[in-house]
Amino acid sequence: MADNMTKVPVREQDAKVRAANFDEVCLGYNMEEAVKEAQRCLHCKNAKCIEGCPVNINIPGFIQEVKGGNIEKAYQVISESSALPAICGRVCPQESQCEGKCIRGIKGESVSIGKLERFVADWARENGIRPTPAGFSNGHKVAVIGSGPAGLTCAGDLAKKGYDVTIFEALHEPGGVLVYGIPEFRLPKLDVVAKEVENVKSLGVKIETNVIIGKSVTIDELLEEEGFEAVFIGSGAGLPMFMGIPGETAKGVFSANEFLTRNNLMKAFRDDYDTPIVHGRKVAVIGGGNVAMDAARTALRLGAEVHIVYRRSEAELPARVEEVHHAKEEGVIFDLLTNPTEILTDENDNVTGMKLVRMELGEPDASGRRRPVVIPGSEYEIAVDTVIMSLGTSPNPLISSTTEGLEVNRRKCIVASEENGQTSKKAVFAGGDAVTGAATVILAMGAGKAGAKGIDEYLSNC
C-alpha cells in the first residue's frame, strides 16, 4: 500500500487556454494515475465514505477493484447504486460528502473518490460497458416526470426491478439540468450526458420529449387514462428568482437559467448555431453559488470581463471551492461584500451600469451564515452592459396546480416523504429540486432512489 498522504494530482487545461474555449477543464486520471490513487484507500471496514454518499455507493469496493486494475468490475460495483457515475464524478461536491468522511483525510488528504469514479465510468464508456438490464418484466407500469438526475435515477432503479418505465421530458432533449444548466467545460453533453442517458435507456427505460405535464397531459390523466400505476415527479426547480430592484426588466438582464440554457442546450456559444444571446463586454453575475460560477465562467469564455457580485465574504460563498478556484484562475473578478440596489439603463432600456452598496457581516442569520449589513454612505456605481441574476430557483407551479390533491408548501415545493418520496396524493411520489428547491445533482439522485424504493414498496403491496 502506498504511504503517500497527498492526492495524485489531476491534469487540467491551462487556465489561460481554457478561458477561451468550452472544452472540459479537468482531464481526469489515466490508468496509472487511477491505480496509484486507489492504493491510498485504507479499505476501512466501517467505511464512513459510504455514509457520506447520498446514493450509498460501495466506495471501498469499487476502489479495491481499481487497485487490481479490474475496471469493468469496479464499474459493476458502482452501477449497483448509481445510474450516472460519469456525471457524479464530475459535478458532485465530494469534498463535503464522501471525501469529507474519508478516514485517510484525517492525517493527510482524502482519497480522490470523485476522480476515481469518473475514471471508472469513462473507461466503461470507452470500452462499451453498460449496466445490466433486469431481463424480465414484473408487469407494472410507472411514469417519471423529468429526465434530470432525480428522474433518471428513479427510472433506472425501477427498470432494474423489471418495471415498465416511461420518462416524460418537457424539453426537446433529455437530461434536465445536466444539459441546460451545467456548462460544457464542466460536463460534456455528447460524450458524457448523452451516453449516461443511453445507459439508462439500455435498461429498458423509454423517454418521451416535448411533453409538458400539466399542459400536454396531466398526472391524473396518466393514472386514470394512460394505464400508469404510479408516478414519480422529478421535474426540478427551474423558476428563477429576482431581487425586485429597479431596472431588472431591462435589455441585457438575464436569469442565470436563461443564460445557461441558451448556451448549454441551445449552443449559443457556437458560431454554427443561430441562438440569439447578448455577448456582453462587461458582465456582472449576482450571486455566489455554483450556478453563479457557471454563468460567470461561461460569460468569460464569450469574451467578457466578468464580475461576481456577492453580498458576503469569500468564506461564505456557497459554491464549491474547486469552482471558485477555477473561476479565479481564469480571470473572473470577485466583488465581495457588495450588493446591487439598482440596474441603470439608457433611453432605449439597455443596461449601462449598476448602483451598489458595500456590506459588512453582522450576526448569523437562520442559515448559520453571518448576516450582511449595509455600510451607510458606501453607495457607488459601476459600468456594465449585462447583468445575470443567479439567486436561486423554485419549482414551476404548473404540475402542482394541475394535479388534484397534491400538497405544496409556501415555497411551492411539493411536500413528500424524505424516506420514500410519497406525496399527499395516492400513487404519486416526488423527489429532488421539485421537493427541496434547488440543490445538488447527487442529492436529487438520492431522492430518485428513495422514490424508486417507495414506488416498489407501494406497487408490491397493491
Side-chain angles (χ1 to χ4, degrees):
M1 166 140 350
D3 60 358
N4 188 358
M5 299 302 286
T6 60
K7 295 179 178 181
V8 174
V10 65
R11 291 164 291 118
E12 296 179 344
Q13 275 199 79
D14 178 82
K16 290 182 180 179
V17 174
R18 71 181 190 241
N21 67 52
F22 280 82
D23 297 336
E24 191 168 12
V25 169
C26 179
L27 303 178
Y29 285 146
N30 59 28
M31 178 70 80
E32 181 182 354
E33 292 164 340
V35 171
K36 185 177 179 182
E37 180 62 20
Q39 289 171 347
R40 299 182 58 242
C41 177
L42 299 173
H43 202 66
C44 309
K45 291 184 178 179
N46 181 22
K48 299 293 184 182
C49 55
I50 299 177
E51 296 176 16
C53 175
V55 296
N56 299 121
I57 292 172
N58 180 0
I59 293 168
F62 97 75
I63 291 179
Q64 188 71 11
E65 298 299 340
V66 175
K67 282 184 186 180
N70 304 316
I71 313 305
E72 182 173 352
K73 178 61 176 175
Y75 178 73
Q76 291 168 352
V77 173
I78 295 173
S79 295
E80 291 173 3
S81 303
S82 175
L84 309 171
I87 291 168
C88 289
R90 286 168 164 83
V91 303
C92 281
Q94 291 98 1
E95 67 277 0
S96 62
Q97 294 180 158
C98 54
E99 292 181 19
K101 299 277 189 179
C102 178
I103 299 300
R104 170 65 82 185
I106 294 175
K107 293 185 178 179
E109 292 185 340
S110 60
V111 176
S112 290
I113 298 168
K115 298 297 188 291
L116 290 174
E117 181 182 19
R118 169 188 165 158
F119 166 77
V120 170
D122 287 355
W123 183 94
R125 180 183 70 248
E126 291 161 5
N127 287 274
I129 308 301
R130 287 190 166 181
T132 305
F136 66 92
S137 171
N138 64 18
H140 292 294
K141 187 177 177 183
V142 178
V144 172
I145 300 171
S147 63
L152 290 170
T153 299
C154 182
D157 278 15
L158 289 171
K160 289 176 184 176
K161 294 178 180 293
Y163 286 89
D164 178 358
V165 186
T166 301
I167 297 176
F168 296 98
E169 169 56 49
L171 296 177
H172 63 279
E173 198 170 309
V177 69
L178 304 171
V179 293
Y180 73 72
I182 303 176
E184 186 79 10
F185 54 81
R186 279 218 296 138
L187 187 60
K189 304 299 173 274
L190 288 177
D191 289 342
V192 178
V193 179
K195 294 297 193 300
E196 297 273 68
V197 171
E198 285 301 315
N199 282 345
V200 173
K201 290 172 68 175
S202 75
L203 296 171
V205 174
K206 298 180 285 292
I207 301 178
E208 294 190 20
T209 56
N210 299 307
V211 179
I212 301 174
I213 302 299
K215 283 192 174 181
S216 307
V217 65
T218 67
I219 286 178
D220 291 315
E221 288 169 343
L222 289 174
L223 291 169
E224 296 167 10
E225 300 175 18
E226 301 295 331
F228 292 99
E229 300 168 78
V231 174
F232 176 80
I233 304 171
S235 51
L239 192 65
M241 299 177 184
F242 288 86
M243 294 186 69
I245 60 176
E248 277 188 331
T249 59
K251 301 170 188 174
V253 178
F254 295 89
S255 69
N257 243 27
E258 179 185 359
F259 184 76
L260 289 170
T261 298
R262 285 177 177 270
N263 274 282
N264 300 335
L265 182 60
M266 302 172 72
K267 305 292 190 294
F269 66 90
R270 286 176 50 171
D271 293 336
D272 56 337
Y273 274 70
D274 185 19
T275 305
I277 192 168
V278 174
H279 289 193
R281 294 183 300 277
K282 189 170 183 180
V283 175
V285 178
I286 316 303
N290 289 324
V291 176
M293 300 304 140
D294 286 344
R297 296 172 68 197
T298 296
L300 184 86
R301 283 161 170 76
L302 293 174
E305 175 187 305
V306 183
H307 293 247
I308 288 278
V309 178
Y310 182 62
R311 61 183 185 156
R312 290 183 167 95
S313 71
E314 183 168 347
E316 286 78 31
L317 280 168
R320 293 182 67 188
V321 172
E322 181 178 69
E323 300 308 315
V324 174
H325 171 68
H326 282 158
K328 285 183 174 181
E329 276 190 329
E330 292 164 5
V332 173
I333 300 162
F334 284 73
D335 296 338
L336 302 173
L337 290 167
T338 304
N339 208 37
T341 58
E342 182 179 353
I343 297 169
L344 304 174
T345 61
D346 62 17
E347 65 276 7
N348 295 316
D349 203 31
N350 294 304
V351 173
T352 60
M354 276 198 313
K355 287 185 179 180
L356 305 105
V357 290
R358 301 194 187 279
M359 316 290 285
E360 60 184 358
L361 297 180
E363 295 300 314
D365 61 15
S367 71
R369 294 178 297 174
R370 294 173 64 190
R371 184 187 301 276
V373 180
V374 174
I375 299 175
S378 65
E379 297 83 2
Y380 70 105
E381 295 182 8
I382 62 170
V384 295
D385 57 19
T386 304
V387 176
I388 300 172
M389 293 290 181
S390 183
L391 306 169
T393 55
S394 61
N396 189 314
L398 178 61
I399 290 175
S400 58
S401 65
T402 58
T403 306
E404 187 176 346
L406 189 63
E407 183 184 354
V408 297
N409 61 24
R410 60 181 179 80
R411 297 184 297 141
K412 304 300 181 184
C413 294
I414 298 168
V415 177
S417 165
E418 185 176 339
E419 182 180 351
N420 63 12
Q422 177 67 61
T423 70
S424 58
K425 186 176 178 69
K426 182 181 178 182
V428 177
F429 299 74
D433 292 2
V435 171
T436 61
T440 62
V441 167
I442 190 65
L443 289 176
M445 290 178 61
K449 289 188 75 68
K453 177 185 175 187
I455 289 171
D456 183 45
E457 291 173 348
Y458 166 71
L459 292 178
S460 296
N461 293 323
C462 283

